[in-house]
Amino acid sequence: MKFSISLLAASLATADASVWGNLRRRLSYEKVATYAPGSQVTDHCAIDRDQRAMEAELARKTNEAWENAQQIYLQGGNSKSYALITLSEPLKSEVPKGTKVFGTNAAGNEVAGKMYSTTTSGSVTVKIQYATTDLQDSYVQCQVGALVGDDVNLSGCFAGESTITIGEEVYPYTYTPETDNNNGRTISGFSTQLEAKLKNGPGAPYPDFEYFRKYYGTSDYAD
C-alpha cells in the first residue's frame, strides 16, 4: 500500500492535460485533500472510484459480487478510459501518440480524445483515450471497464458505429461500447507496475522499493 500511494503521487506530479484542445490552462486546480496539484489530475484521482465500486460489490457477500470486485481490481473502470475501435479502412499513415481525435456519442454530441499510443500505417484497430476535464465530478463521461450496474456510464462514450476524425483524416468505424471501453489505470497496476516504474522508470531506482522487494522476494508483493 505504501508504494501504491507513492506511485500515485508520482503520477499526480507529472500529469499532463495539454493534449486536449478544448481545455484551457488554469492557474490553479481542485485540491486533492490538502495537496494543490500543478496540473490536471482528475483522471488519476478517479482511481478511488474503482475502490468504491469494489467495496460496494464486496458488501453484497455473494460469489458473483466477489468476482465482480476482483475484475474491477484487475480491469478498472474509472481511470484512463479508452475506446478500442475497429476502423472500416486502414490508417493512411502512422499516427503519433497524443494526436487529437474527435467523434460523437450516441446522442450526436462531440466526444474528444487522443491516440493512446503511436499506431502504424495500415492498422485497423486503434486505441483512443478519452479527454478529461478539470472538474472531478465530471472529469469524464465514459466509465465502463469491469464496472457493473449503475456505475457504468456510456453517455460520453463514442457511438457504436459512426465516423471518427484522427488528426485531419476521417474514418468510419465500429465497436461495442459495452465491451470495448477499457481502462489503462487500475488498482492492480499500482502493484504489478512497481518494478517498471520504481526500479526501471524515470528517477529510479527508489531505495525504499528495493527494501520491500528484497523482503517479500517479489516486485509485485502488494498484488
Side-chain angles (χ1 to χ4, degrees), residues 108-126:
N109 300 316
E110 185 178 81
V111 176
K114 66 175 182 177
M115 292 295 287
Y116 193 99
S117 57
T118 297
T119 308
T120 58
S121 175
S123 298
V124 294
T125 301
V126 295

Side-chain angles (χ1 to χ4, degrees), residues 16-22 80 94-102 112-119 126-131 165-168:
D16 179 8
S18 63
V19 295
W20 286 290
N22 289 342
K80 209 171 185 179
E94 181 177 274
V95 182
K97 175 181 178 179
T99 298
K100 295 173 185 176
V101 178
F102 295 95
K114 66 175 182 177
M115 292 295 287
Y116 193 99
S117 57
T118 297
T119 308
V126 295
K127 186 187 282 190
I128 302 167
Q129 183 178 346
Y130 289 97
T165 302
I166 302 175
E168 298 181 354

Side-chain angles (χ1 to χ4, degrees), residues 107-195:
N109 300 316
E110 185 178 81
V111 176
K114 66 175 182 177
M115 292 295 287
Y116 193 99
S117 57
T118 297
T119 308
T120 58
S121 175
S123 298
V124 294
T125 301
V126 295
K127 186 187 282 190
I128 302 167
Q129 183 178 346
Y130 289 97
T132 53
T133 74
D134 298 334
L135 302 178
Q136 194 66 63
D137 286 344
S138 58
Y139 72 102
V140 74
Q141 294 302 308
C142 186
Q143 296 144 309
V144 186
L147 300 176
V148 296
D150 292 340
D151 286 333
V152 176
N153 178 13
L154 295 167
S155 65
C157 301
F158 292 115
E161 182 175 358
S162 186
T163 59
I164 199 162
T165 302
I166 302 175
E168 298 181 354
E169 300 289 344
V170 179
Y171 297 91
Y173 74 89
T174 59
Y175 88 127
T176 305
E178 294 81 5
T179 57
D180 294 332
N181 281 300
N182 304 306
N183 297 86
R185 186 179 295 112
T186 68
I187 295 176
S188 172
F190 284 112
S191 177
T192 58
Q193 295 175 19
L194 282 176
E195 182 164 344

Side-chain angles (χ1 to χ4, degrees), residues 5 16 23 30 40 52 70 87 98 134 154 167 172 184 188 213:
I5 294 172
D16 179 8
L23 305 179
E30 288 184 334
Q40 185 195 99
R52 182 179 65 185
Q70 185 176 43
L87 305 177
D134 298 334
L154 295 167
S188 172
R213 185 189 66 79

